[in-house]
Amino acid sequence: MSKREWLDFVDRLINEDEMEVIGVRAKGSKFQFAPIDSSEELRLDYNVTILPPKKQLLPPHEDLMTYDISKPFNVLSSKDEGKKILIGVHPYDVIAIQQMDEIYLGTHRDEHYDARRKNTLIIASDILNVPERSFSGSLGTHVVEDGFDLLITDLGDMVAVTIGTKEGEELLNTFAEPGEATDEDEMKVKRLRDELPAKYQRKLKVDKYQWEKLLEENYDHPIWEENSKKCLTCGSCTLVCPTCFCYDVEDVMNINMKEGKRVRTWDGCLLRDFTLVAGGEVFREDLKDRYRHRYYRKGLFLPMRNGFVACVGCGRCATQCLPDIADPCDVINTLASYSMHEKVNFPIPDVKQAGIEEGLLVPEPATIVKKERMTELETLYEIKLDSGKELGHKPGQFIELSIFGIGEAPISVSSSPGGMTFELLVRRIGHVTNKLESLEVGEKIGIRGPFGNGFDVKDLEGKDILFVSGGCGLAPTRSLINYVMEHRDDFGRVTILYGCKDPKAILFDRDLRSWGDVKDVTVKRTVDSCPDGECWDGDVGLITTLIPPLDMDPENTIGIVVGPPIMYKFVIKELKAKKIPDDNIIVSLERRMKCGVGKCGHCQMNGIYVCLEGPVFKYNDVKDIPEAF
Amino acid sequence: MVKDVNIHVKHLTRVEGHGNIYFNTKNGEVSNILWEVDEAPRFFEAFVRGKSYDQLSHLTSRICGICSIGHSIASLRATEAAMGVQISEQTELLRRLALHGENLQSHSLHVGYLVAPDLIGAPSVVPLVKTHTDAVIKIVTLHKFANYLSDLTCGRTIHPITLEVGGFTSIPTEKQLVEVKKQIIDTMVVTGEVAGIVLANAHKLPDFQRESEFIGLTADDHYPYYKGDVASTDGGMWPPESYLDITNEYVVPQSTAKHCKHNRDSYMVGALARFNLNYRHLSDEAKAVAEMFGLEPVCYNPYMNSIAQLVEIMDSLVDSTRIIDQLLSNGLKNETSEVEIRPGRGVGAVEVPRGLLFHDYTIDGLGNCIKANCVIPTNQNHGNIQKDMEAIGPTLVGKPEKEIELTLEMLVRAYDPCISCSTHYLDVKFL
Amino acid sequence: MKPKVAFFDFASCEGCQLEVINLEEKIIDLIDVVEIVSFREAMKEHSDEYDIAFIEGSIQRPMDEERLKKIRGNAKILVALGACACIGGVNKLRNEWSVDNVKEEVYGDADIEGNKLFDAFPTKAINEVVDVDFYIPGCPINKVEFAKVVSHLAIGKTPQLPNYPVCVECKKNENICVFELGKFCLGPVTRAGCNAICPQFQDGCEGCRGFLEDPKMEAQKDVLRKYGIRLDDMMKRFNMFNYKKGVY
């Protein structure tokens, strides 16, 4: 169609009340995607926008749900189903959106993203001016074949339109009368695309299939340390990235203390508090590790998972980084020039999980039916889903517990599978768990889940089982122990070792004693120290001291180790000393699991999402993962 | 035998900053009447020494949260005068609009939140939320609009962001200006209603007269806030540069704020002074508000300052529409501030809500400030407050203590003192 | 029982309390949730019975120090309101000189010797005098953040300040980086929470919310050098709200 016809087409779309037209327009000397009032504002000659069009599908701040805490359980999803048309999306951003679709609509569908995506039409545009820092020409993301509804090519006096979908075709035919493209037109479009790569100033020395190998071989390359010294840790590189998708969630109350909302905001792995857990520990404290993680995530971990490099070469990160250390093109080229050739493996355990199709974000109502204080810090809650359904969990899985107005916290399930209620052992350590303590029996909470990979009970059948639990680690283990007790004949000898700080901190003492009464079950309890005058009938000393005297058949024994981070190294050393093969050791790890479904990014250790592949792992699968222990 | 009265209002409420009132009688005579300011001194003029010219307005705006826009603009005008920086017509118009935003904000806060409770007979606006809900909502609407106008022109109503030497870092869009203008029309209606509420309670304003001098900016053709010559109701006109001959600051032992005097023992600045000096330039809509209260120039009743503020609210709204029309007909331009560093000294005189404000800077060849002086409206009023108290004091003897206290508190409040502002200056003339 | 709340001010411009008043109609909601028992700028009512004290301003004189300690004694929770209270803010700039020097500059040769109203010591942030439970930084405070802290305290959630730099908010708001406009900005080392309001209006961050717990000062200085800013000019701007003797 002619330029005039194209502009008329855009104006007709703008005048349509049903949908919002978001186009590329100038913002000072830069560009942004924003609502346009007239086709004249549209700037197809732009190089790159400050933020990618991702913000229309996953906004920097979005309300997930609203609620009224003056009522027992009053929660409404705040899905945005407004119709939108994005005009002027460059090929690299189209590809980035395809990647986002894979993340948010693949396994475990995010209903908010889904609602926006379904209602958004994309009119892509071929690149006319190459952004200065872009290297999309080297990645092949400067052109695109699908992922758009319409693709336009501005040829000066004419605009060529490529139809991508039926919806796109319908839109075009409803609001314009396009003519048939001539061979000459098609040649022009082809020439424009073919000539693009030569216009790039920045080029990768290796193709995108080399990224994984380069990263595998350079985990300890000096560039990570050197560049991280210049890093401001401002997070800009991740925040402007079209393929970054990590988020944080926060509850915000209105000042009237009745209505509130749960808000999702962009987060980024460069920011220190990204890996902060309620206890105050930061799992990726060293700036070098955070700096490196971004490259590994984009160039190795996500490709391993999804099959594509999570970088489209738009150059936004490089443009925004003040010390100029965020450019993947620079970093990959450096690695290509000076490779360390020291291969490190980052295997991702293959865990099969049923995908969640809906109701991923909004918790379902549940009621506290029983509350029992265990120690000064820990309380056991019995919970019932208001739907009357079973929770349907496996031992070792966790749920996300919501208190509206406060937030969500991941809690492992302590009871064995089945039954109309389930139990949670909760340590008061953060906002949610502190508030929970003030709730009474009968009050409502929200539950999402169960999530994660639990213990595979079938794998344990016929084996001797050695449980080693420290402190709160007994909470997830108890679920499995109870299961084993309920199916006692399916398992061999059972030994339960439990250690905690002092007699006052002991958890599930009644259970420990009753398990000890079962045939062929040995229970040993120990405390790190016992203050004078305290009554205590167990051992005194670290839990590791209980292992050497045990009599066991190492080949047929499965060691299940769950406890505070510090415990693993020492316990596993003792198990190895007992000749238990690594293959027979199972651990459960703790991270800050915010979403529960591998999207928010907080629980990731190297390539592994603790919420998806864990929290229960075969030791063999994680022992070489640098960030695991 | 008359009982002795001893009133000490420690930290007078519903004013900006810390001031105390003392009133004592002995044998039926006033033995002591004192307006004391014990606000902690903050030494602005001392610490701006050595700071860069482009930091000065951002630092001195922190003198006062309520009139930070006024301080910024006085500061910019002084800096621009010192360095010979020219500004565009658009910048001047937008600055005038910003001053109106602040005038509206400060006056509506004062009349609505601080003075109205006295007239209605409540300790504060809080109980009025329940008893006079409609009135409170109207006042909130007015105040909110004022902040919206300030936010739009300055980025932020408290400690403006966009105001810079030579111009603006960022300006509103034409669309936003059109929207503001629409809202002004509605706000004028609300202002009329608020005036009605005040009028219904205006009998509570004491009928007290004391002939005094009023000083403020004046101009030939408009009611000036942004620039003009300094004039007095006792006659005379001076350029702002000779402000030291007008203000004659001096330190008194009961105050960390300096006092001022000109033709008489004391003078007054502020809305009433501007009203008395520039009545002829008020819009018809504003004059109509004055008429509701029988307010005419020259009015010597300081309690009527709050009414003059109400008049100015209406006038600021009217003038804002004129400014917006002018801006829209000129078309908004994206200008960049052109600044060349040059040494010199400059004075900026601006009418801020509480009256005439002077900033005076000396800038060196590197663009750093080497000397600064700020004369704040409330300073200029402290002496007049004291003199008013001395005059009204004897008429209060024999009245119930509560009434004496309220009358004196209302007097100080009428001046809308900005006490934290008034505790920083220099070049003292100790008399 | 509604928590009882009081506001107090010391050396300051009272802009932070004004920012509270600028909540406009939301104050009506606020007074449904908390009972304001003292707010001198806006109320005559006063009581010394309060749970939460909000303190604006920094401490300049022995008499202020005494008053603050008394407030701390009465309050269960004490919250620092604004830059002057949290970090000293612009008030600390005078600490570059001796008290005598600044007094002479401001009051000249007036006879203020021995007058306790003028009895100043070098400016202190309030945590240099009493323990502070929570901080609401900024010059002025951000009223949205104030409302958030109040609602957190009311619902029993510990208020937490963002522990990331202003850049994060700039990016989320799609601001043009002010460095690209040739301006000085402290955003990369300054605690966010202001919604990057200054850069939003194309002015650089001046650090009024205080620096991060672990600011990357050397990296920041490298960046400023790259943009041609001299060290002495840098220090003047680093010091604006975060005065420190010696060089950052």
Side-chain angles (χ1 to χ4, degrees):
Chain A
M1 59 176 98
S2 73
K3 194 59 160 286
R4 187 66 259 163
E5 286 170 316
W6 155 252
L7 295 174
D8 289 344
F9 170 62
V10 173
D11 283 324
R12 269 181 225 123
L13 296 177
I14 292 170
N15 291 333
E16 193 63 25
D17 288 341
E18 304 278 286
M19 49 202 169
E20 193 181 12
V21 176
I22 314 264
V24 176
R25 54 183 297 172
K27 172 167 183 162
S29 58
K30 307 270 160 185
F31 298 95
Q32 67 175 166
F33 281 94
I36 52 170
D37 296 329
S38 141
S39 62
E40 284 165 28
E41 289 170 346
L42 196 62
R43 289 288 300 272
L44 293 180
D45 62 333
Y46 80 105
N47 46 18
V48 65
T49 52
I50 305 174
L51 285 181
K54 171 184 88 178
K55 68 174 183 177
Q56 298 297 342
L57 301 169
L58 185 75
H61 302 271
E62 81 177 293
D63 294 355
L64 292 182
M65 63 203 80
T66 57
Y67 42 79
D68 182 341
I69 61 168
S70 65
K71 299 177 180 145
F73 192 97
N74 185 295
V75 185
L76 273 176
S77 170
S78 12
K79 242 188 266 176
D80 168 10
E81 291 175 304
K83 289 211 185 312
K84 270 185 224 146
I85 299 185
L86 302 183
I87 304 184
V89 182
H90 274 170
Y92 50 80
D93 279 335
V94 171
I95 292 166
I97 289 173
Q98 288 179 303
Q99 294 195 4
M100 294 293 288
D101 289 350
E102 176 68 30
I103 304 292
Y104 276 88
L105 305 177
T107 344
H108 307 310
R109 182 190 305 268
D110 183 288
E111 63 257 34
H112 275 237
Y113 183 92
D114 191 32
R116 284 205 182 79
R117 187 68 186 90
K118 271 187 193 143
N119 288 297
T120 302
L121 290 176
I122 294 175
I123 302 184
S125 161
D126 269 315
I127 301 170
L128 299 179
N129 287 304
V130 170
E132 194 191 334
R133 296 299 295 262
S134 173
F135 53 99
S136 51
S138 306
L139 289 170
T141 51
H142 62 298
V143 286
V144 71
E145 279 162 10
D146 52 13
F148 51 81
D149 295 286
L150 294 173
L151 165 65
I152 57 152
T153 316
D154 188 338
L155 298 170
D157 49 347
M158 297 286 285
V159 171
V161 186
T162 311
I163 290 166
T165 62
K166 244 205 243 137
E167 290 84 357
E169 187 173 14
E170 210 175 299
L171 188 80
L172 185 66
N173 291 329
T174 312
F175 294 94
E177 286 169 20
E180 214 41 56
T182 62
D183 287 352
E184 195 193 339
D185 295 337
E186 281 179 21
M187 275 309 294
K188 277 189 195 162
V189 171
K190 189 174 178 307
R191 201 178 314 131
L192 187 134
R193 288 177 191 162
D194 289 348
E195 284 170 1
L196 258 183
K199 293 185 183 162
Y200 282 80
Q201 289 166 22
R202 304 186 70 79
K203 293 187 167 77
L204 278 170
K205 289 180 185 166
V206 292
D207 69 37
K208 62 182 171 192
Y209 304 104
Q210 302 292 309
W211 288 36
E212 288 187 46
K213 180 169 179 288
L214 276 177
L215 291 168
E216 275 173 349
E217 292 180 352
N218 288 291
Y219 196 66
D220 292 315
H221 196 285
I223 192 173
W224 312 125
E225 178 85 39
E226 273 166 31
N227 280 1
S228 68
K229 279 187 191 150
K230 298 182 208 155
C231 178
L232 290 159
T233 70
C234 68
S236 296
C237 50
T238 56
L239 294 161
V240 299
C241 179
T243 66
C244 271
F245 55 83
C246 292
Y247 66 77
D248 197 6
V249 174
E250 191 188 24
D251 278 38
V252 182
M253 286 302 298
N254 282 357
I255 195 115
N256 65 13
M257 302 311 288
K258 288 190 185 84
E259 299 102 30
K261 55 192 181 180
R262 184 160 291 172
V263 183
R264 166 154 77 184
T265 56
W266 290 352
D267 207 343
C269 56
L270 261 294
L271 305 174
R272 179 186 175 273
D273 288 2
F274 186 71
T275 54
L276 177 75
V277 295
E281 196 171 348
V282 174
F283 282 98
R284 213 175 285 123
E285 179 79 84
D286 193 345
L287 178 51
K288 180 187 87 181
D289 296 339
R290 301 210 295 275
Y291 176 77
R292 178 175 56 196
H293 182 74
R294 170 172 166 262
Y295 290 100
Y296 275 72
R297 192 170 148 92
K298 298 212 164 294
L300 178 62
F301 305 146
L302 288 170
M304 284 171 73
R305 207 172 265 284
N306 302 317
F308 46 75
V309 169
C311 171
V312 292
C314 65
R316 288 185 177 96
C317 51
T319 311
Q320 291 293 341
C321 179
L322 290 166
D324 199 1
I325 49 163
D327 190 346
C329 185
D330 284 344
V331 168
I332 292 294
N333 284 348
T334 304
L335 298 185
S337 307
Y338 311 99
S339 177
M340 308 280 288
H341 301 297
E342 293 168 351
K343 193 165 159 63
V344 179
N345 281 325
F346 301 93
I348 298 175
D350 186 17
V351 173
K352 298 274 175 291
Q353 269 187 24
I356 298 171
E357 284 296 307
E358 52 192 304
L360 189 68
L361 300 166
V362 180
E364 59 175 308
T367 308
I368 301 173
V369 294
K370 201 173 149 197
K371 188 176 164 186
E372 182 189 348
R373 188 73 174 256
M374 290 235 135
T375 68
E376 200 191 331
L377 280 178
E378 283 112 347
T379 304
L380 184 70
Y381 296 85
E382 189 178 337
I383 312 287
K384 184 177 187 301
L385 293 179
D386 289 3
S387 63
K389 288 187 188 139
E390 284 185 16
L391 181 65
H393 70 289
K394 276 172 37 176
Q397 281 194 303
F398 66 96
I399 52 96
E400 292 281 347
L401 186 148
S402 269
I403 300 179
F404 295 98
I406 306 282
E408 262 191 335
I411 314 272
S412 348
V413 183
S414 287
S415 50
S416 53
M420 297 315 289
T421 64
F422 57 95
E423 288 175 327
L424 304 173
L425 177 86
V426 180
R427 168 180 282 201
R428 277 183 293 128
I429 197 164
H431 299 310
V432 175
T433 50
N434 270 304
K435 184 71 183 183
L436 185 63
E437 179 67 27
S438 71
L439 300 189
E440 303 295 333
V441 167
E443 289 201 68
K444 301 284 179 202
I445 54 171
I447 298 286
R448 290 194 303 126
F451 296 119
N453 176 42
F455 294 101
D456 196 336
V457 287
K458 292 284 164 236
D459 260 14
L460 303 176
E461 283 175 6
K463 301 278 167 72
D464 293 348
I465 304 179
L466 168 63
F467 292 98
V468 186
S469 296
C472 268
L474 190 54
T477 315
R478 178 177 176 258
S479 174
L480 178 62
I481 299 176
N482 278 339
Y483 178 88
V484 170
M485 296 302 161
E486 287 159 18
H487 304 79
R488 187 64 198 90
D489 296 343
D490 296 346
F491 303 91
R493 278 189 300 171
V494 172
T495 310
I496 300 169
L497 309 182
Y498 177 67
C500 61
K501 210 166 83 226
D502 55 52
K504 280 209 172 102
I506 195 159
L507 294 171
F508 300 113
D509 201 31
R510 208 172 44 227
D511 291 337
L512 286 164
R513 286 168 196 278
S514 69
W515 293 330
D517 295 339
V518 179
K519 183 171 155 282
D520 280 341
V521 176
T522 312
V523 174
K524 284 190 182 294
R525 297 134 66 238
T526 183
V527 290
D528 296 352
S529 65
C530 183
D532 288 342
E534 199 77 55
C535 200
W536 178 241
D537 59 353
D539 290 87
V540 175
L542 294 178
I543 193 160
T544 43
T545 59
L546 300 179
I547 301 170
L550 295 175
D551 167 37
M552 61 173 82
D553 169 8
E555 289 300 324
N556 196 43
T557 300
I558 304 288
I560 292 174
V561 187
V562 190
I566 181 84
M567 193 187 90
Y568 290 95
K569 206 170 117 190
F570 297 103
V571 167
I572 289 169
K573 200 173 141 203
E574 293 299 335
L575 297 185
K576 282 169 173 287
K578 292 297 260 187
K579 300 275 186 296
I580 297 186
D582 287 355
D583 228 9
N584 286 10
I585 300 174
I586 294 172
V587 295
S588 177
L589 301 178
E590 185 196 351
R591 289 294 187 274
R592 183 192 179 195
M593 294 156 296
K594 273 237 147 178
C595 68
V597 288
K599 303 200 196 308
C600 79
H602 288 93
C603 70
Q604 200 177 21
M605 30 184 225
N606 296 109
I608 292 173
Y609 286 116
V610 174
C611 69
L612 288 182
E613 284 87 44
V616 174
F617 293 99
K618 288 188 172 150
Y619 176 63
N620 241 350
D621 285 344
V622 287
K623 66 178 178 188
D624 295 326
I625 298 294
E627 292 182 345
F629 294 102
Chain B
M1 182 64 198
V2 189
K3 202 173 136 252
D4 291 347
V5 175
N6 293 297
I7 293 174
H8 172 200
V9 179
K10 170 88 176 156
H11 290 168
L12 173 66
T13 59
R14 304 202 326 263
V15 295
E16 198 285 341
H18 298 93
N20 309 316
I21 296 169
Y22 295 90
F23 178 84
N24 309 84
T25 64
K26 219 170 178 78
N27 306 323
E29 304 256 325
V30 177
S31 59
N32 177 39
I33 185 159
L34 195 68
W35 166 234
E36 180 188 80
V37 170
D38 71 346
E39 181 83 11
R42 293 169 69 208
F43 308 106
F44 269 79
E45 289 95 337
F47 69 62
V48 296
R49 290 175 297 174
K51 303 299 179 290
S52 177
Y53 74 95
D54 59 347
Q55 291 182 288
L56 298 175
S57 71
H58 283 212
L59 285 169
T60 53
S61 88
R62 268 74 188 183
I63 291 174
C64 175
I66 300 185
C67 43
S68 56
I69 294 175
H71 275 287
S72 292
I73 291 179
S75 174
L76 294 174
R77 295 210 54 215
T79 311
E80 286 160 1
M83 295 177 28
V85 176
Q86 299 299 318
I87 59 154
S88 68
E89 185 198 352
Q90 176 175 296
T91 291
E92 183 172 329
L93 286 169
L94 284 166
R95 284 183 184 173
R96 281 174 53 196
L97 194 58
L99 283 174
H100 283 317
E102 175 166 279
N103 213 38
L104 291 168
Q105 174 267 124
S106 180
H107 284 356
S108 59
L109 174 79
H110 186 243
V111 177
Y113 293 167
L114 309 183
V115 171
D118 283 337
L119 301 181
I120 300 175
S124 76
V125 75
V126 174
L128 299 184
V129 170
K130 294 269 180 298
T131 58
H132 295 68
T133 313
D134 278 358
V136 171
I137 286 172
K138 288 195 170 80
I139 291 162
V140 168
T141 308
L142 182 54
H143 190 249
K144 199 173 168 178
F145 170 77
N147 277 330
Y148 162 63
L149 179 58
S150 304
D151 285 345
L152 191 73
T153 46
C154 300
R156 177 168 65 195
T157 173
I158 301 172
H159 305 323
I161 296 165
T162 60
L163 304 170
E164 69 171 350
V165 179
F168 279 79
T169 62
S170 157
I171 58 167
T173 62
E174 291 187 1
K175 205 166 151 187
Q176 287 172 316
L177 288 180
V178 171
E179 174 57 32
V180 175
K181 200 184 150 186
K182 259 193 241 155
Q183 290 201 25
I184 290 178
I185 311 299
D186 300 339
T187 311
M188 283 168 65
V189 176
V190 175
T191 303
E193 291 166 351
V194 170
I197 295 164
V198 175
L199 183 64
N201 297 282
H203 56 278
K204 295 270 184 65
L205 291 168
D207 181 20
F208 162 74
Q209 309 272 335
R210 184 182 71 85
E211 209 180 300
S212 183
E213 184 181 8
F214 293 92
I215 291 180
L217 291 184
T218 190
D220 287 342
D221 55 352
H222 69 291
Y223 195 94
Y225 292 97
Y226 182 69
K227 64 180 183 189
D229 283 327
V230 183
S232 162
T233 47
D234 283 356
M237 268 236 265
W238 304 269
E241 289 70 29
S242 55
Y243 76 98
L244 289 174
D245 297 334
I246 303 161
T247 56
N248 305 303
E249 286 190 303
Y250 60 101
V251 176
V252 292
Q254 79 269 22
S255 166
T256 50
K258 282 176 252 180
H259 287 205
C260 293
K261 60 198 273 180
H262 178 239
N263 203 30
R264 311 180 188 220
D265 282 349
S266 66
Y267 64 85
M268 181 173 180
V269 297
L272 190 58
R274 289 190 290 260
F275 177 86
N276 283 338
L277 286 162
N278 299 302
Y279 175 80
R280 65 192 184 285
H281 296 314
L282 284 171
S283 60
D284 292 345
E285 292 87 341
K287 280 180 181 160
V289 175
E291 205 176 314
M292 282 168 71
F293 294 85
L295 180 63
E296 285 172 12
V298 171
C299 169
Y300 289 115
N301 180 356
Y303 289 95
M304 291 302 277
N305 190 48
S306 310
I307 305 305
Q309 290 180 330
L310 207 46
V311 173
E312 284 194 343
I313 288 176
M314 189 59 98
D315 200 55
S316 276
L317 290 169
V318 174
D319 198 44
S320 295
T321 61
R322 294 188 203 122
I323 293 171
I324 291 171
D325 287 344
Q326 185 68 48
L327 283 165
L328 291 174
S329 83
N330 294 355
L332 287 176
K333 290 174 275 295
N334 268 325
E335 303 171 332
T336 40
S337 307
E338 302 289 341
V339 178
E340 202 180 310
I341 291 171
R342 253 186 15 206
R345 178 177 171 184
V347 174
V350 171
E351 282 288 350
V352 297
R354 283 156 201 78
L356 187 50
L357 168 67
F358 299 100
H359 280 220
D360 170 6
Y361 303 143
T362 307
I363 310 271
D364 70 10
L366 296 168
N368 294 327
C369 175
I370 48 178
K371 193 86 183 160
N373 187 24
C374 308
V375 183
I376 276 92
T378 299
N379 283 108
Q380 300 170 64
N381 281 336
H382 282 317
N384 216 51
I385 295 175
Q386 177 68 32
K387 295 295 166 201
D388 278 348
M389 282 185 21
E390 288 167 14
I392 202 170
T395 70
L396 300 173
V397 176
K399 295 198 167 158
E401 276 194 34
K402 281 270 166 242
E403 192 185 326
I404 301 173
E405 192 179 310
L406 180 65
T407 309
L408 292 175
E409 283 191 13
M410 282 174 67
L411 175 68
V412 179
R413 249 175 235 134
Y415 280 82
D416 190 7
C418 198
I419 299 169
S420 30
C421 270
S422 66
T423 49
H424 348 84
Y425 13 78
L426 94 169
D427 263 359
V428 186
K429 292 201 175 53
F430 193 66
L431 301 170
Chain C
M1 256 272 285
K2 290 200 258 182
K4 292 188 168 70
V5 168
F7 291 83
F8 300 96
D9 44 57
F10 292 85
S12 66
C13 73
E14 299 195 9
C16 293
Q17 290 173 82
L18 185 62
E19 190 66 2
V20 174
I21 294 172
N22 286 348
L23 283 168
E24 317 286 6
E25 70 277 6
K26 292 202 185 77
I27 302 183
I28 298 171
D29 284 335
L30 180 69
I31 57 181
D32 263 350
V33 174
V34 299
E35 185 185 344
I36 302 178
V37 300
S38 188
F39 194 164
R40 194 198 43 73
E41 195 180 26
M43 287 167 59
K44 191 175 164 75
E45 305 93 312
H46 170 80
S47 154
D48 282 325
E49 302 265 311
Y50 40 84
D51 305 302
I52 307 170
F54 289 97
I55 311 288
E56 176 173 5
S58 34
I59 305 304
Q60 310 266 46
R61 300 174 295 188
M63 59 189 283
D64 303 330
E65 205 167 49
E66 250 168 70
R67 188 160 76 94
L68 177 60
K69 284 179 180 162
K70 237 172 98 184
I71 296 167
R72 175 72 267 193
N74 290 341
K76 291 193 192 90
I77 296 171
L78 187 136
V79 186
L81 203 59
C84 295
C86 294
I87 51 177
V90 295
N91 290 332
K92 274 214 170 175
L93 284 169
R94 74 167 169 91
N95 292 0
E96 186 181 337
W97 296 272
S98 71
V99 173
D100 287 343
N101 177 301
V102 295
K103 272 195 202 171
E104 198 190 321
E105 182 74 16
V106 175
Y107 293 103
D109 51 6
D111 183 17
I112 54 173
E113 198 55 43
N115 185 331
K116 74 180 179 107
L117 298 183
F118 296 85
D119 185 14
F121 47 57
T123 303
K124 296 176 183 176
I126 65 169
N127 64 6
E128 295 170 64
V129 178
V130 295
D131 289 336
V132 174
D133 298 303
F134 302 109
Y135 296 85
I136 304 179
C139 184
I141 58 161
N142 170 356
K143 61 189 171 197
V144 177
E145 187 170 50
F146 170 81
K148 196 165 152 183
V149 169
V150 172
S151 67
H152 272 40
L153 290 174
I155 202 170
K157 183 171 168 182
T158 313
Q160 267 171 348
L161 295 173
N163 188 27
Y164 48 76
V166 174
C167 298
V168 170
E169 291 170 345
C170 249
K171 295 300 162 298
K172 289 182 186 172
N173 292 340
E174 205 165 8
N175 293 339
I176 296 176
C177 181
V178 292
F179 277 101
E180 291 193 51
L181 302 170
K183 293 182 183 178
F184 180 97
C185 184
L186 283 173
V189 288
T190 301
R191 190 187 287 284
C194 51
N195 201 20
I197 186 164
C198 292
Q200 189 190 322
F201 291 97
Q202 285 154 47
D203 198 23
C205 167
E206 294 172 320
C208 75
R209 294 178 53 88
F211 296 143
L212 289 160
E213 278 163 33
D214 179 23
K216 303 295 177 208
M217 283 299 178
E218 289 310 311
Q220 168 79 1
K221 283 198 266 182
D222 284 346
V223 167
L224 292 170
R225 263 184 228 112
K226 196 171 98 180
Y227 284 88
I229 294 161
R230 293 198 324 271
L231 189 70
D232 61 331
D233 199 25
M234 260 185 233
M235 288 312 122
K236 242 182 243 177
R237 293 165 205 275
F238 275 58
N239 279 331
M240 191 154 167
F241 288 94
N242 298 272
Y243 177 75
K244 181 175 145 179
K245 273 222 155 30
V247 174
Y248 263 104

